[in-house]
Amino acid sequence: MSRRRPLIAGNWKMHQTAASAAVLVAQIRAAIAPESYADVDVVLCPPYTALSAVAQALTGSELSLGAQDVSAHEWGAYTAQISAPMLLEFGTRYAIVGHSECRGYARLGDDEINAKVRACLQHGLTPIVAVGETHAEHAAGQTIERVTSQIRAAFAGIESAAVEGCVAAYEPIWAIGSGTSDTPEEAAAVIAAMRAAVPGLARARCLYGGSMKPENAAALLAQPEIDGGLIGGASLSAQSFAQIVEHARKAVAAS
Ligand code: 13P
């Protein structure tokens, strides 16, 4: 089977004002070799407050815009929430759903994550569905059980043809922001289990996230199961982010 098209997404988390975001986009545009876009999809997920500035700074480029979350609802009395139609206004094409930092701080649960995935699909946004186990679950050998349970719940009741167009991301919580990623072999094995758990996910793009950086990206992306990366810290440096995109391009060339 030919490789699925890689996707490299930068999750800026709660970093960048609108003004500094526009500067970072300009740096990223300058750092990524234009020929990369023939083989790799590249997505930037700034904070909501920078979506407009980033959308403007992306004009005429082949980079895509993503959001870090999306409400399960369209409109209504949901203070502080942002809905899919609001995101679409800026040309947003992707939304991260179920990031562990939202599952943790915002007490986001499996049912709501499923509703957010449905809201994305209803409005033509591509969800990037994040799953991952804690350090304690990892140490207890519960990784596969935990991650497959999360991914099944996220896509519950969604037909496989729709799942194929979605993106999933395996982000072990213990690796996020730690400086140390999972091993390429273990990450690939977890992603293989995720694919087996959800009809349609075999054809969907599945990313790895958790301390992916230029130093380890080549080895992670060389795994055929790993279709790209959801990058936190390293996405805030244009040079590091561009180097990861370059590793994705090389992985395609080598396959
Ligand atoms: P880091 O790359 O900083 O570990 O963050 C990963 C992540 O949480 C991306 O969503």
Side-chain angles (χ1 to χ4, degrees):
M1 191 182 103
S2 63
R3 265 198 92 126
R4 292 163 291 258
R5 184 178 165 84
L7 188 152
I8 301 294
N11 174 8
W12 292 0
K13 306 193 179 183
M14 199 175 71
H15 295 283
Q16 309 298 336
T17 61
S20 69
V23 174
L24 180 56
V25 173
Q27 292 170 344
I28 289 171
R29 287 184 68 163
I32 295 177
E35 59 269 25
S36 311
Y37 302 110
D39 294 319
V40 183
D41 287 336
V42 187
V43 182
L44 304 180
C45 304
Y48 291 136
T49 50
L51 278 174
S52 175
V54 171
Q56 240 180 327
L58 289 180
T59 306
S61 81
E62 295 184 67
L63 292 143
S64 297
L65 187 60
Q68 296 177 15
D69 192 9
V70 61
S71 173
H73 307 281
E74 242 181 350
W75 312 105
Y78 300 103
T79 299
Q81 300 303 302
I82 303 289
S83 69
M86 295 172 180
L87 296 176
L88 291 171
E89 194 177 21
F90 299 102
T92 307
R93 295 184 48 199
Y94 296 84
I96 299 170
V97 172
H99 193 283
S100 57
E101 288 154 17
C102 300
R103 291 180 192 257
Y105 310 147
R107 307 220 173 282
L108 181 58
D110 281 336
D111 289 349
E112 195 175 350
I113 289 169
N114 180 251
K116 286 171 186 269
V117 172
R118 289 168 185 274
C120 285
L121 293 173
Q122 188 187 341
H123 291 281
L125 281 172
T126 300
I128 301 175
V129 180
V131 297
E133 83 285 10
T134 62
H135 179 72
E137 289 161 348
H138 184 75
Q142 294 166 349
T143 299
I144 299 287
E145 183 189 327
R146 186 76 196 105
V147 166
T148 54
S149 150
Q150 288 176 341
I151 202 76
R152 272 197 202 100
F155 288 111
I158 297 172
E159 38 176 274
S160 62
V163 173
E164 286 178 14
C166 296
V167 178
Y170 170 50
E171 296 207 306
I173 296 170
W174 49 269
I176 293 174
S178 71
T180 306
S181 72
D182 198 357
T183 64
E185 296 74 18
E186 192 168 279
V190 175
I191 289 175
M194 287 163 55
R195 292 190 193 281
V198 178
L201 210 60
R203 297 171 79 104
R205 290 181 294 181
C206 292
L207 318 181
Y208 169 78
S211 296
M212 190 187 269
K213 48 193 173 181
E215 295 80 358
N216 59 26
L220 287 159
L221 297 169
Q223 294 286 332
E225 289 289 358
I226 302 180
D227 302 321
L230 185 53
I231 325 291
S235 73
L236 295 168
S237 151
Q239 293 310 322
S240 297
F241 190 60
Q243 283 171 34
I244 295 171
V245 172
E246 179 61 13
H247 284 306
R249 196 184 65 78
K250 286 187 179 149
V252 174
S255 65

